[in-house]
Amino acid sequence: MAGLTAARLLQPAGWNVTVLDKGRVPGGRMATRSFEGGRFDYGAQFFTLRDDALAAMAEQWRAEGLAEPWTQYRYRAPKGMRSIAERLAEGLDIRTGVTAASVSRDGTQWKVWTAAGEELAAP
């Protein structure tokens, strides 16, 4: 959730953002498994409102049917936590199945090497 949220804040601010996720789908611990007859969250099962920015996002997700209050400050995702990750990922450049192995700065440019040996550079 942190990486997707950061990307959603940076992109409208003019940054070119690429999110790398080692999983099959973006979201990290916001993972949901579906099976015949149901689904379950096997990473995070809820999120806690700790600031006004997340509370505003939670209200938007609530209006979209993606989140609902569980306790006073905790929300759950009736369609699974992955549904929130998918919403956060909309419109972003996401690369799944990619593991970042190292990051370094070369002058004014950041470089990321993946576990597969690919080099990605950012200004």
Side-chain angles (χ1 to χ4, degrees), residues 6-18 92 105 108 110 122-123:
R8 292 208 51 91
L9 293 171
L10 290 169
Q11 189 174 32
W15 291 87
N16 292 323
V17 178
T18 300
L92 296 174
R105 187 170 176 107
T108 61
W110 286 96

Side-chain angles (χ1 to χ4, degrees), residues 29-66:
R29 291 191 56 225
M30 296 182 73
T32 303
R33 286 283 165 109
S34 297
F35 58 95
E36 188 176 323
R39 75 175 154 257
F40 65 95
D41 292 317
Y42 65 98
Q45 291 88 31
F46 61 88
F47 61 93
T48 304
L49 301 182
R50 298 190 194 278
D51 62 36
D52 293 339
L54 183 56
M57 291 172 73
E59 252 332 287
Q60 181 179 353
W61 297 333
R62 185 177 182 180
E64 296 172 14
L66 298 176

Side-chain angles (χ1 to χ4, degrees), residues 67-85:
E68 64 185 19
W70 183 39
T71 66
Q72 183 176 2
Y73 298 106
R74 290 186 174 158
Y75 277 65
R76 61 179 292 277
K79 297 178 182 178
M81 292 297 280
R82 183 184 307 160
S83 67
I84 294 173

